[in-house]
Amino acid sequence: IPAPMALALFISLWPRCLSGFISLPALSPLSLTGKEGLTHLPSLGPSANPAQGKAHLKQCDLLKLSRKQKRLCQREPGLAETLRDAIRLSIMECQYQFRYERWNCSLDGRTSLLKRGFKETAFLYAVSSAALTHSLARACSAGRMERCTCDDSPDLENRKAWQWGVCGDNLKYSTKFLKNFLGQKKISKDLRAKVDIHNTNVGIKAVKNGLKTTCKCHGVSGSCAVRTCWKQLSPFHETGKILKLRFDDAVKIFSVTNDAVGHSELVGMQRRSHSPKSPATPRSTDLVYMEDSPSFCRPSKYSLGTAGRTCSREASCDSLCCGRGYNTQSRMVTFSCHCQVQWCCYVECQQCMQEEVIYSCKQ
Ligand SMILES: *[C@@H]1O[C@H](CO)[C@@H](O)[C@H](O)[C@H]1NC(C)=O
């Protein structure tokens, strides 16, 4: 085979070569339908074809939005798709972070959960607003939106970076847009509303704190005659991980103080390191909640319970199964092994078998 043809053949075979090496992501197959609702956006209808012309208007109709949100959606052709991305992202991340918890962020019972003031509710607000912030900033720098573009804040000579084809994620625009989109301007005295807004802002802040400055050298190889820097969002997994830690340390709110007229602050019981709990205003990075969560052990209007959940015998079965015990099942799984790259273009593997033991919670 002449060399260029071999190369073409090689490239066309890449997916097959790769599939042996790249294992599937740690997520279990999640059957996302696109109809899943964000906390802020009650529910999405079926997907419309985003490809041409005024298709986004139809997409905006399918999203359940307030009048103002709909107007913003219609004005910006890239928005509907970005909202959809954000929803997907928030669901995937939430389910990933809660894969070993009794509440596994499934969509069943979510509507009931959102009406309450549990820790889980707080997490849903935070992860949703974080996903929105992240997706909007990315959509700007990826050129999917008409009304925003690369990060153009003056601090990093961003415009110089553009000349080199570098585009920083536009967090400034996305944050501003989101606050307007969610209509947070009104100051609410209602405790519940304040809690939701606080947790929403925790999510936005987590994305902001994860912003990293990346630099690159240009010029004759290695000379670094010109150096450009720009801001880049961290992978959303990192944001998710941080929010999960905040969930574990969430602060329970018991009242609102009203010291000045029209000014009120949340008050929670907070454990500062080594000192006993004392009333304090939660930090802007603390997730806050109002009532203790149910156990999520049994089916309820908030979840399906933990019967049938697979667990790890060493790590999670005892707590996940709520003391009901677990079933043990073994099965043979085949996997590719002893793989060797063959000239020219494919990988030859043998099939090996291995016993795998699966534990799952009893009814
Ligand atoms: C969450 O748990 C329920 C109840 O056991 C199960 O049916 C569902 O598939 C789980 N969802 C995810 C995303 O793991």
Side-chain angles (χ1 to χ4, degrees):
I1 309 174
M5 259 179 78
L7 188 65
L9 188 63
F10 183 68
I11 293 168
S12 71
L13 286 172
W14 259 116
R16 204 161 83 197
C17 294
L18 284 174
S19 61
F21 296 108
I22 300 178
S23 58
L24 288 168
L27 284 166
S28 56
L30 303 166
S31 47
L32 299 181
T33 61
K35 288 185 201 162
E36 299 83 1
L38 260 184
T39 57
H40 307 296
L41 311 167
S43 84
L44 281 176
S47 176
N49 178 9
Q52 61 288 104
K54 300 219 169 285
H56 78 278
L57 295 181
K58 186 146 177 246
Q59 288 224 4
C60 295
D61 285 338
L62 295 171
L63 292 157
K64 272 194 194 146
L65 302 170
S66 71
R67 281 243 294 280
K68 178 183 167 190
Q69 289 173 338
K70 188 168 260 180
R71 219 170 44 236
L72 289 168
C73 186
Q74 288 164 343
R75 230 169 52 185
E76 170 55 82
L79 187 60
E81 199 54 31
T82 305
L83 295 175
R84 201 175 275 281
D85 281 350
I87 290 167
R88 231 172 269 133
L89 194 62
S90 66
I91 293 170
M92 300 281 282
E93 191 55 34
C94 182
Q95 296 192 341
Y96 178 77
Q97 293 299 336
F98 284 82
R99 64 203 184 283
Y100 302 131
E101 306 281 333
R102 289 177 186 169
W103 177 70
N104 65 359
C105 196
S106 81
L107 300 170
D108 303 278
R110 181 171 291 198
T111 315
S112 307
L113 206 60
L114 287 174
K115 288 184 189 140
R116 304 298 296 264
F118 302 140
K119 262 178 159 182
E120 287 75 12
T121 320
F123 186 85
L124 283 172
Y125 270 88
V127 80
S128 303
S129 64
L132 277 167
T133 311
H134 182 101
S135 301
L136 281 163
R138 269 285 150 80
C140 291
S141 58
R144 288 196 297 267
M145 307 268 274
E146 280 182 6
R147 275 158 201 278
C148 63
T149 172
C150 311
D151 181 19
D152 61 355
S153 43
D155 50 337
L156 284 173
E157 302 182 28
N158 280 291
R159 286 176 184 277
K160 198 164 98 193
W162 294 4
Q163 295 165 5
W164 297 93
V166 166
C167 181
D169 293 319
N170 197 340
L171 201 61
K172 212 169 92 189
Y173 176 88
S174 81
T175 309
K176 206 174 126 205
F177 178 89
L178 188 60
K179 293 210 166 171
N180 181 33
F181 186 78
L182 301 176
Q184 281 194 11
K185 293 243 171 69
K186 286 160 276 166
I187 293 169
S188 177
K189 290 201 185 98
D190 170 31
L191 179 59
R192 179 54 213 271
K194 286 189 85 69
V195 163
D196 291 347
I197 290 174
H198 178 94
N199 291 326
T200 300
N201 290 338
V202 170
I204 295 172
K205 194 156 187 183
V207 175
K208 205 174 191 163
N209 289 346
L211 210 58
K212 290 188 181 74
T213 300
T214 313
C215 295
K216 194 174 163 185
C217 286
H218 309 274
V220 189
S221 58
S223 73
C224 209
V226 186
R227 192 161 156 266
T228 47
C229 297
W230 68 98
K231 297 249 174 82
Q232 205 172 24
L233 294 170
S234 27
F236 197 66
H237 253 343
E238 285 179 23
T239 310
K241 203 164 118 189
I242 287 169
L243 290 177
K244 178 61 168 41
L245 293 173
R246 304 272 162 75
F247 169 88
D248 295 333
D249 288 335
V251 174
K252 191 170 179 180
I253 292 300
F254 57 85
S255 70
V256 191
T257 57
N258 241 322
D259 24 42
V261 183
H263 178 78
S264 59
E265 268 181 3
L266 297 171
V267 182
M269 273 299 178
Q270 206 155 33
R271 200 190 352 244
R272 304 279 184 213
S273 48
H274 305 305
S275 65
K277 284 189 171 190
S278 60
T281 304
R283 290 167 297 192
S284 60
T285 50
D286 287 327
L287 282 179
V288 300
Y289 66 103
M290 296 161 66
E291 48 184 335
D292 294 327
S293 305
S295 73
F296 297 108
C297 284
R298 292 284 178 193
S300 69
K301 62 178 170 178
Y302 305 117
S303 78
L304 296 174
T306 64
R309 286 279 300 280
T310 54
C311 56
S312 141
R313 194 172 59 164
E314 291 75 31
S316 69
C317 283
D318 287 343
S319 79
L320 195 62
C321 304
C322 307
R324 299 188 304 267
Y326 50 87
N327 296 316
T328 308
Q329 207 182 4
S330 71
R331 63 174 187 193
M332 298 303 285
V333 287
T334 57
F335 61 99
S336 297
C337 56
H338 309 301
C339 294
Q340 280 181 332
V341 177
Q342 303 288 323
W343 180 254
C344 105
C345 309
Y346 60 95
V347 179
E348 209 169 64
C349 297
Q350 290 173 16
Q351 293 293 306
C352 296
M353 299 260 271
Q354 194 181 26
E355 187 179 27
E356 188 183 70
V357 184
I358 293 171
Y359 305 96
S360 60
C361 294
K362 284 188 174 164
Q363 288 288 328

